[in-house]
């Protein structure tokens, strides 16, 4: 395994939310499972059986007498059942067979988290779900009880939930009774940004019994990935510096034409944003490492090396990873004069230049339509695809309505996502010195594009020449 | 006699790019007054000493409506002509119960009052929303709310009153050439003006289908009567720059109409044949144009131009015009919606949501789309949480007023709303939405514009499903996008087992 793969061990000394080398494996379903897992005690065998119904009902019937009684035995009907279960449990195709022959059962993968009995600890989320859980538990612990109610319905009011309950039985037995005490975390300092994230998630969690619960779960999946990404980026900067960095988000239809001024502006804003986060990671890493003790009267490079070793050991890094990392750092330090910086270390020894951070952000955002373009060499920018817009509105305004300009300002103030001037054009200050077209006009144009999209998708209603109201689900 | 002092005011009004009733003299305003029926609603409310709110967008006619009321009508009333211009610290006192109030304002101003925590304003906003959804609100202690913006002047056939305003006729008589005057006089014929109204009505539903305001219509009338003096009004109606003319240009294609029985006669200037085919009101202009066609000194280009004018004249001036059939036999989805027919709309929604791969009939399938990742293609399997018959839905038109006995008038608004009766879930049906759902739905996520309409429809489906989903029956549809086919499965679900049933 190369240093590049292991460098996350060092990087997480600075930013615990940073995802590793394979960010495209981190998807909303996985984040949701990890987020909800502390609340439930899964029956692994049962989850495995139900998941396998999406591929091989016959095997499931052989393994479980109860399942055999529930599902049809005719081959034709079983083929129909496979399609049905694929639709029910696997809308994002995140359920995989365990081996290449595709004759066996499912491997370590996650179903759509329709009910508590399907929640398992598994699926790589690189700690984003756990982080969201901690933030929510700190600010809104009551919401977790609502989440339990959402995922463990006593009765089904729609056929999708009914089918899942028939297969899985009573859901209350999967609830971790002592979840509140068992999930006590070490003391962590939370920021205003974290509170904004917690408020956002709280708005997405509701105790719905009817068919709307399926959409609530889907929206929460998207919302968790969104908040997880923000925790890794702007949230990290907020923790380091106390201020939320602003980034311009393209408000038109993603991905947007490459020669559009707003697209170019959003790309340059993205680069600046990434550079800022990267610098913060470097500075934070330096500060964390230097906070560890070292032997006196040593050369600076040696002191740093000793401190890094202690920090990694303290973080319980596996021996073989530790050995490779220290070798790489040692090699780097040997090649340098004393004028090296932490940023040189990030780029050369840990293979983590700003572009590597951008790659991770792009991959994480891509699955929920938060970054564009999907593929290719085009300049990366933040966008808001329609499903994410729906979630952003629900998370930002809850069940009330909100003036469109206030909504724009609220998203900017709480998360640093600048779409337009909104009702308070103080965001302008953060974009001084940007391109020629006039930043204000650019922001206004961008805001108008988003407004048009909201109206088209039924997320907002225009009331007069100058007044648009953003609507939650129930009022649209 | 056309008075000079009024004339300049009137001309300014017609030619202004933002014709503004606030700047009109009383004389012109009285002369341009067009009865809509809203005035009577206001007077009824005033006689009952009810609080009255007149809401609407800029240009929808709030100020004009207020000014049609006399001092006698408003005796004892607190009159606020524009809430937004009224000091905000006094907003809480506007409806304090000491005196009935009549208040006009942009809807945004009332929302602002509601946001500021004024209970009365929250109530007004609630009534306004109900009005826009076509719902009846009844509470005698609450204000009567009139949504002037919802009134559809184009659909309510008030255009004929506008083009026949006496002042306009005098203006044409005194200032226009004989040719223009003869052409304008055609509008005295009900059939001719009816065709013009139908055209404007159709245009009002293009784009987002939000109708036209009085201001836009007056600007249109100004363009017809003014503008290029070498063109007749029927040549200007789709070539001018105003909102109405621009939207007519989107729906009116003169060259697409055929004149199989009179085309040759027009080309050869056969007046003897043509005379009986045209309405008497159109005959003077017909004679004039035919005489030009017969003029042998005419060059080919001039002859072609005159023939084009004759064709346009024929569309509006024939006793039996192809325009009439064009509207009468229109069977597109928007025409169905305008006739409040639910079934074709539900069938179209079903067809759209199932990518046109399967015929699902006229019961709305409650599709559940719960994928959360942005993939290249949409899920191949969709589950339906139930079916709801067409008769469980209705298409309602928004209301123009609310909280007053609806039997007083038959006024209806210009917005169309599809409503599920049991859950009160509703979705605004606009022309652009229908244009989207009558085209094939793409299974590719990259087709982003469609995604936005998908969401408007699927949000509605979700709301209906929240009320109408049935836990015991699950229908599944599996698409094969490459083969353009689909399979359906149905399951009966109980607590003990799942059993496949006929789909």
């Amino acid at each position: 395994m190369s240093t590049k793969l292991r460098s996350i061990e060092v990087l997480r000394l600075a930013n615990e939310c940073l995802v590793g080398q394979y960010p495209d494996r981190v998807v909303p379903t996985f984040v949701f499972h990890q987020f909800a897992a502390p609340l439930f005690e899964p029956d692994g065998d049962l989850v495995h059986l139900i998941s396998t119904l999406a591929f091989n009902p016959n095997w499931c019937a052989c393994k479980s007498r109860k399942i055999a009684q529930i599902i049809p035995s005719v081959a034709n009907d079983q083929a129909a059942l496979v399609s049905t279960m694929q639709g029910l449990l696997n809308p994002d195709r995140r359920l995989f067979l365990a081996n290449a022959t595709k004759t066996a059962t499912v491997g370590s993968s996650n179903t759509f988290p329709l009910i508590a009995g399907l929640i398992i600890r598994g699926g790589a989320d690189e700690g984003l779900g756990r982080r969201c859980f901690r933030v929510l538990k700190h600010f809104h612990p009551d919401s977790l009880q609502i989440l339990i109610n959402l995922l463990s319905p006593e009765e089904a009011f729609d056929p999708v939930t009914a089918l899942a309950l028939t297969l899985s039985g009573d859901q209350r037995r999967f609830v971790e009774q002592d979840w509140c005490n068992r999930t006590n975390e070490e003391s962590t300092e939370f920021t205003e940004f974290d509170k904004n994230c917690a408020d956002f998630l709280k708005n997405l969690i509701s105790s719905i019994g009817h068919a709307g619960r399926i959409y609530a779960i889907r929206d929460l999946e998207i919302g968790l990935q969104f908040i997880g990404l923000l925790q890794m980026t702007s949230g990290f900067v907020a923790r380091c510096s106390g201020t939320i960095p602003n980034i311009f988000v393209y408000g038109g239809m993603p991905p947007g034409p490459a020669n559009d001024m707003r697209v170019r502006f959003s790309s340059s804003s993205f680069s600046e944003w990434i550079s800022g986060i990267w610098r913060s990671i470097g500075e934070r890493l330096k500060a964390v490492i230097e906070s560890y003790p070292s032997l006196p009267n040593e050369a600076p490079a040696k002191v740093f090396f000793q401190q890094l070793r202690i920090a990694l050991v303290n973080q319980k890094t596996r021996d073989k990873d530790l050995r490779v990392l220290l070798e790489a750092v040692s090699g780097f330090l040997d090649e340098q004069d004393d004028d090296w910086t932490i940023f040189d270390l990030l780029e050369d020894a840990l293979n983590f230049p700003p572009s590597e951070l951008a790659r991770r952000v792009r991959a994480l955002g891509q699955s929920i339509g938060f970054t564009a373009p999907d593929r290719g060499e085009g300049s990366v920018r933040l966008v808001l695809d329609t499903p994410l817009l729906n979630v952003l509105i629900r998370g930002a305004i809850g069940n009330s309505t909100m003036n469109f300009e206030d909504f724009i300002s609220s998203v900017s103030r709480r998360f640093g996502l600048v779409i337009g001037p909104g009702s308070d054009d103080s965001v302008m200050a953060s974009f001084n010195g940007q391109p020629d077209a006039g930043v204000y006009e650019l922001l206004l144009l961008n805001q108008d594009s988003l407004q048009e999209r909201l109206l088209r998708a039924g997320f907002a209603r225009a009331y007069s020449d100058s007044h648009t109201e953003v609507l939650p689900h129930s009022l649209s | 006699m056309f008075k000079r002092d009024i004339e300049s005011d009137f001309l300014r009004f017609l030619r202004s790019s933002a014709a503004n009733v606030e700047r009109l003299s009383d004389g012109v305003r009285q002369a341009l007054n067009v009865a809509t029926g809203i005035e009577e609603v206001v007077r009824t409310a005033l006689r009952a000493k009810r609080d009255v709110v007149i809401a609407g967008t800029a240009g929808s006619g709030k100020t004009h409506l207020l000014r049609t009321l006399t001092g006698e009508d408003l005796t004892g009333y607190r009159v606020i002509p524009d809430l937004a211009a009224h000091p905000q610290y006094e907003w809480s006192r506007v409806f304090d119960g000491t005196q009935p109030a009549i208040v006009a304002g942009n809807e945004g101003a009332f929302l602002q009052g509601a946001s500021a925590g004024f209970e009365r304003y929250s109530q007004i906003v609630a009534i306004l929303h109900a009005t826009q959804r076509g719902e009846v609100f009844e509470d005698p202690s609450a204000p009567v709310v009139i949504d002037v913006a919802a009134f559809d002047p184009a659909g309510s056939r008030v255009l004929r009153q506008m083009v026949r305003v006496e002042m306009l006729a005098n203006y044409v008589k005194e200032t226009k050439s004989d040719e223009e005057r003869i052409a304008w006089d055609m509008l005295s014929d009900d059939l001719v003006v009816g065709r013009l109204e139908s055209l404007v009505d159709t245009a009002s539903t293009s784009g987002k289908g939000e109708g036209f305001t009085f201001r836009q219509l007056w600007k249109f009338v100004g363009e017809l009567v003014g503008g290029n003096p070498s063109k007749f009004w029927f040549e200007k109606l789709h070539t001018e720059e105003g909102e109405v003319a621009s939207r007519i240009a989107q729906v009116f294609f003169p060259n697409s109409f055929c004149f199989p029985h009179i085309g040759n006669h027009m080309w050869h200037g056969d007046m003897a044949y043509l005379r009986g085919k045209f309405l008497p009101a159109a005959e003077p202009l017909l004679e004039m144009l035919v005489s030009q066609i017969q003029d042998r000194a005419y060059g080919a280009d001039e002859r072609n131009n005159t023939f084009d004018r004759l064709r346009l004249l024929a569309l509006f001036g024939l006793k039996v015009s192809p325009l009439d059939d064009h509207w009468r036999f229109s069977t597109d989805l928007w025409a169905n919606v305008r006739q409040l027919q639910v079934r074709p709309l539900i069938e179209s929604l079903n067809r759209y949501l199932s990518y046109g791969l399967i015929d699902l009939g006229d019961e709305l399938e409650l599709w559940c789309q719960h994928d959360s990742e942005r993939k290249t293609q949409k899920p191949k399997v969709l589950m339906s949480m139930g079916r709801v018959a067409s008769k469980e839905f209705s298409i309602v038109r928004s209301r123009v007023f609310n909280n007053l006995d609806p039997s007083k008038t038959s006024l209806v608004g210009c917005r169309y709303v599809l409503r599920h009766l049991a859950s009160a879930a509703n979705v605004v049906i606009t022309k652009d939405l229908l244009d989207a759902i009558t085209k094939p739905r793409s299974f590719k996520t990259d087709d982003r514009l469609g995604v936005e309409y998908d969401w408007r429809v699927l949000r509605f489906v979700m709301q209906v499903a929240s009320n109408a989903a049935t836990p015991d029956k699950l229908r599944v549809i599996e698409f094969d996008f490459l083969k353009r086919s689909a399979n359906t499965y149905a399951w009966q679900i109980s607590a003990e087992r799942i059993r496949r049933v006929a789909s």
Side-chain angles (χ1 to χ4, degrees):
Chain A
M1 199 187 284
S2 70
T3 317
K4 195 171 181 180
L5 291 174
R6 292 176 163 118
S7 60
I8 190 66
E9 296 289 335
V10 179
L11 296 166
R12 280 193 181 142
L13 289 171
N15 183 356
E16 61 171 2
C17 300
L18 200 62
V19 298
Q21 188 64 20
Y22 303 110
D24 46 347
R25 293 180 186 171
V26 179
V27 293
T29 301
F30 295 170
V31 178
F32 187 103
H33 276 264
Q34 296 291 356
F35 169 74
L39 305 173
F40 303 105
E41 286 180 298
D43 177 344
D45 292 341
L46 183 60
V47 175
H48 189 238
L49 268 174
I50 295 173
S51 305
T52 307
L53 281 174
F55 299 96
N56 195 346
N58 199 28
W59 180 88
C60 301
C62 294
K63 286 285 175 186
S64 163
R65 190 183 176 85
K66 190 183 170 203
I67 292 284
Q69 287 170 344
I70 293 173
I71 65 171
S73 55
V74 182
N76 267 352
D77 292 353
Q78 286 199 349
L81 183 67
V82 167
S83 294
T84 303
M85 297 307 287
Q86 284 283 347
L88 184 90
L89 303 176
N90 203 15
D92 291 304
R93 285 159 275 168
R94 289 293 166 186
L95 212 48
F96 309 109
L97 286 173
N99 65 28
T101 63
K102 298 193 174 182
T103 54
T105 61
V106 292
S108 175
S109 48
N110 290 158
T111 68
F112 180 80
L114 195 55
I115 47 173
L118 291 173
I119 302 286
I120 54 165
R121 292 178 182 85
D125 85 322
E126 302 275 356
L128 295 188
R130 189 79 177 159
R131 172 75 194 174
C132 290
F133 180 87
R134 284 165 58 192
V135 167
L136 187 64
K137 188 179 174 214
H138 180 79
F139 290 102
H140 299 295
D142 296 351
S143 294
L144 294 171
Q145 185 56 51
I146 298 173
L147 180 64
I148 289 173
N149 295 340
L150 175 68
L151 290 175
S152 48
E154 291 177 3
E155 191 182 354
F157 294 93
D158 66 86
V160 175
T161 307
L163 178 53
L165 289 184
T166 300
L167 293 168
S168 180
D170 175 28
Q171 296 303 295
R172 288 281 154 181
R173 69 195 157 109
F174 299 116
V175 177
E176 168 72 74
Q177 296 304 323
D178 196 27
W179 65 267
C180 198
N181 295 326
R182 291 183 62 176
T183 55
N184 273 341
E185 300 281 345
E186 69 279 12
S187 61
T188 310
E189 281 189 22
F190 291 99
T191 62
E192 186 65 23
F193 185 87
D194 295 327
K195 179 167 188 318
N196 296 338
C197 291
D199 293 346
F200 185 92
L201 292 174
K202 175 178 177 276
N203 284 339
L204 292 179
I205 298 173
S206 48
S207 181
I208 301 172
H210 55 63
R213 62 181 296 279
I214 298 162
Y215 302 98
I217 294 168
R218 176 202 60 191
D219 290 352
L220 185 56
E221 275 193 354
I222 297 171
L224 284 166
Q225 176 105 352
F226 172 71
I227 292 296
L229 195 158
L230 289 179
Q231 281 285 324
M232 182 183 100
T233 51
S234 295
F236 167 70
V237 177
R239 286 193 288 282
C240 293
S241 66
T243 57
I244 303 168
N246 281 334
I247 175 168
F248 178 75
V249 183
Y250 177 64
M253 190 84 78
N259 56 357
D260 189 312
M261 196 67 183
R262 292 166 297 161
V263 168
R264 287 175 12 213
F265 187 28
S266 56
S267 298
S268 69
S269 180
F270 181 83
S271 300
E272 277 185 28
W273 183 63
I274 288 291
S275 298
I277 299 164
W278 186 76
R279 277 196 305 275
S280 296
I281 290 175
E283 286 160 8
R284 177 82 177 153
L285 184 62
K286 185 166 184 283
V288 168
I289 292 173
E290 286 178 354
S291 69
Y292 283 93
S294 66
L295 294 171
N297 304 322
E298 294 280 6
K302 214 160 186 179
V303 168
F304 181 84
F305 187 78
Q306 287 169 3
Q307 289 170 322
L308 175 63
R309 181 207 294 264
I310 298 169
L312 288 173
V313 170
N314 199 41
Q315 194 182 243
K316 296 175 183 158
T317 306
R318 289 182 304 178
D319 283 348
K320 59 180 179 180
D321 293 345
L322 184 66
R323 198 167 52 247
V324 173
L325 283 168
L326 291 179
E327 263 175 32
V329 172
S330 167
F332 166 81
L333 293 174
D334 287 347
E335 286 174 12
Q336 308 296 317
D337 297 330
D338 280 347
D339 59 350
W340 63 274
T341 66
I342 191 73
F343 303 111
D344 298 328
L345 179 88
L346 278 181
E347 289 204 53
D348 298 338
L350 300 176
N351 290 310
F352 190 75
S355 60
E356 183 60 27
L357 177 63
R359 182 182 73 81
R360 294 174 196 213
V361 171
R362 180 182 183 178
L364 277 179
Q366 189 181 314
S367 64
I368 53 171
F370 191 31
T371 51
D374 291 345
R375 60 189 82 82
E377 298 290 315
S379 306
V380 182
R381 60 259 181 191
L382 292 192
V383 296
L384 296 167
D385 212 340
T386 316
L388 179 60
L389 260 183
N390 169 57
V391 172
L392 188 63
I393 289 168
R394 278 197 64 200
I397 72 175
N399 287 323
S400 57
T401 64
M402 191 182 272
N403 179 313
F404 174 69
E405 281 81 16
D406 291 344
F407 168 71
I408 296 292
S409 289
S410 164
V411 171
S412 158
R413 195 174 53 250
R414 293 161 70 183
F415 301 114
L417 304 176
V418 180
I419 301 159
S423 55
D424 162 22
D425 54 13
S426 59
V427 293
M428 296 295 302
S430 56
F431 293 113
N432 275 347
Q434 285 295 335
D436 24 90
V439 177
Y440 185 80
E441 284 78 5
L442 203 71
L443 289 177
L444 205 57
L445 191 64
N446 195 52
Q447 180 173 302
D448 289 347
S449 298
L450 185 78
Q451 182 174 352
E452 193 181 312
R453 290 181 59 210
L454 293 187
L455 291 170
R456 203 161 42 221
F459 296 165
R461 182 178 288 155
Y463 282 106
S464 71
D465 291 351
S466 59
H467 193 94
T468 299
E469 201 79 355
V470 181
L471 307 169
H473 274 307
S474 53
L475 295 175
S476 61
Chain B
M1 187 67 190
F2 191 69
K3 296 184 182 68
R4 291 289 156 197
D5 56 336
I6 296 180
E7 180 189 25
S8 60
D9 199 4
F10 176 62
L11 288 181
R12 206 167 40 244
F13 172 72
L14 289 182
R15 290 170 185 167
S16 165
S17 59
N20 205 330
V21 74
E22 284 84 346
R23 294 179 193 160
L24 278 181
S25 67
D26 287 346
V28 176
R29 198 168 44 250
Q30 283 299 327
L32 297 185
N33 187 34
V34 174
T36 60
I38 303 179
E39 305 84 354
E40 197 42 46
V41 173
V42 178
R43 289 201 177 91
T44 305
L46 294 178
R47 281 195 293 273
K49 294 294 173 199
R50 302 276 299 276
D51 285 332
V52 179
V53 165
I54 302 172
T57 57
S60 55
K62 300 183 297 291
T63 311
H64 181 73
L65 179 61
L66 261 185
R67 292 192 177 173
T68 58
L69 302 171
T70 62
E72 193 181 338
D73 292 328
L74 298 171
T75 306
Y77 264 84
R78 177 182 290 146
V79 181
I80 312 284
D82 183 0
L83 183 64
H86 197 67
Q88 287 202 13
Y89 59 83
E90 288 196 355
W91 282 17
S92 61
R93 291 211 295 268
V94 170
F95 299 104
D96 61 5
T98 57
Q99 185 183 8
I102 179 164
V103 183
N106 265 6
E107 292 151 348
F110 293 103
L111 278 159
Q112 210 176 327
S115 303
F118 302 138
E119 198 179 323
R120 203 60 158 171
Y121 289 76
S122 302
Q123 192 179 34
I124 289 165
V125 169
I127 302 172
L128 198 53
H129 287 180
T131 308
Q132 290 172 353
R133 289 193 296 263
E135 295 166 4
V136 176
F137 186 94
E138 286 178 296
D139 179 358
S141 67
V144 173
V145 172
I146 295 158
D147 183 10
V148 196
F151 179 70
D152 180 15
S156 303
R157 309 279 163 142
V158 295
L159 191 61
R160 71 180 60 202
Q161 293 183 58
M162 296 168 83
V163 297
R164 288 174 180 174
V165 161
E166 191 184 352
M167 183 180 287
L168 200 58
N170 290 337
Y171 168 69
V172 171
K173 193 174 166 186
E174 294 200 0
T175 62
K176 297 292 171 186
S177 66
D178 284 350
E179 287 184 359
E180 285 181 274
R181 188 175 46 72
I182 292 170
W184 192 260
D185 286 347
M186 281 174 67
L187 293 168
S188 61
D189 189 288
D190 283 350
L191 205 51
V192 175
V193 82
R195 286 168 185 159
L196 177 63
E197 283 175 334
S198 297
L199 190 56
V200 172
D201 187 24
T202 306
S204 76
T205 62
S206 69
K208 289 178 182 164
E210 288 289 313
F212 294 126
T213 63
F214 265 111
R215 187 175 294 179
Q216 288 168 330
L217 283 181
W218 273 118
K219 182 163 169 45
F220 175 63
V221 172
E223 288 172 345
L224 293 187
V225 78
N228 187 344
S230 64
K231 286 186 173 180
F232 300 129
W233 62 266
F234 48 78
E235 293 175 285
K236 296 176 199 167
L237 55 85
H238 65 302
T239 55
E240 292 291 331
E241 292 175 350
E243 178 69 17
V244 180
S246 304
R247 273 156 70 178
I248 287 178
Q250 292 172 21
V251 296
F252 180 55
F253 308 101
N255 290 337
S256 66
F257 292 97
C258 301
F259 299 92
H261 303 298
I262 63 161
N264 275 343
H265 296 277
M266 287 199 293
W267 178 254
H268 293 291
D270 184 357
M271 190 63 205
Y273 180 86
L274 292 174
R275 182 171 284 117
K277 305 289 181 191
F278 279 71
L279 294 163
E283 275 188 18
L285 194 58
L286 175 70
E287 278 181 18
M288 199 186 75
L289 292 175
V290 165
S291 69
Q292 290 174 0
I293 286 265
Q294 288 169 340
D295 187 346
R296 295 192 183 278
Y298 246 34
D301 287 349
E302 290 164 314
R303 191 185 178 92
N304 278 332
N305 288 341
T306 306
F307 182 64
D308 286 343
R309 302 180 97 181
L310 261 177
R311 281 174 53 89
L312 271 171
L313 171 67
L315 280 177
F316 290 92
L318 276 172
K319 286 177 180 168
V320 180
S321 164
L323 267 181
D324 304 332
D325 287 348
H326 181 65
W327 288 305
R328 191 180 311 140
F329 298 118
S330 177
T331 53
D332 67 1
L333 190 55
W334 186 234
N336 296 140
V337 167
R338 286 164 64 79
Q339 291 159 24
L340 309 184
Q341 294 175 9
V342 174
R343 195 172 158 163
L345 179 58
I346 297 293
E347 286 172 343
S348 292
L349 285 173
N350 272 342
R351 200 164 34 244
Y352 177 74
L353 291 174
S354 59
Y355 303 92
L357 297 184
I358 194 163
D359 184 10
L360 295 164
D362 62 349
E363 293 183 320
L364 182 69
E365 288 280 358
L366 303 176
W367 296 119
C368 167
Q369 195 166 320
H370 59 306
D371 56 312
S372 58
E373 281 180 56
R374 228 190 138 272
K375 299 269 189 183
T376 317
Q377 294 190 352
K378 290 176 183 165
K380 284 184 175 177
V381 181
L382 279 184
M383 286 166 303
S384 164
M385 297 196 280
R387 302 167 89 173
V388 184
S390 305
K391 63 182 181 190
E392 300 289 324
F393 297 90
S394 67
I395 295 175
V396 293
R397 292 188 71 164
S398 57
R399 297 168 58 80
V400 175
F401 67 95
N402 217 336
N403 204 19
L404 190 71
D405 184 359
S407 64
K408 297 283 181 202
T409 166
S410 59
L411 283 174
V412 286
C414 59
R415 299 175 186 129
Y416 293 83
V417 177
L418 176 64
R419 182 187 299 159
H420 177 231
L421 300 171
S423 65
N426 61 75
V427 61
V428 176
I429 303 296
T430 52
K431 182 73 166 44
D432 58 333
L433 175 72
L434 296 189
D435 287 345
I437 67 167
T438 44
K439 290 177 191 144
R441 183 187 186 195
S442 173
F443 60 88
K444 293 179 180 170
T445 317
D446 282 346
D447 295 331
R448 313 243 180 185
L449 191 62
V451 172
E452 302 201 337
Y453 291 113
D454 284 4
W455 272 83
R456 195 187 319 176
V457 173
L458 288 170
R459 254 191 172 197
F460 173 68
V461 170
M462 179 207 79
Q463 289 176 337
V464 176
S466 298
N467 171 275
T470 46
D472 56 338
K473 290 191 183 67
L474 176 67
R475 251 163 75 88
V476 178
I477 188 163
E478 185 181 22
F479 302 107
D480 187 332
F481 295 124
L482 293 178
K483 290 183 183 169
R484 301 285 303 159
S485 64
N487 290 321
T488 58
Y489 314 111
W491 302 95
Q492 181 77 38
I493 300 167
S494 67
E496 292 79 33
R497 62 175 307 192
I498 51 176
R499 189 167 58 86
R500 192 171 168 194
V501 293
S503 57

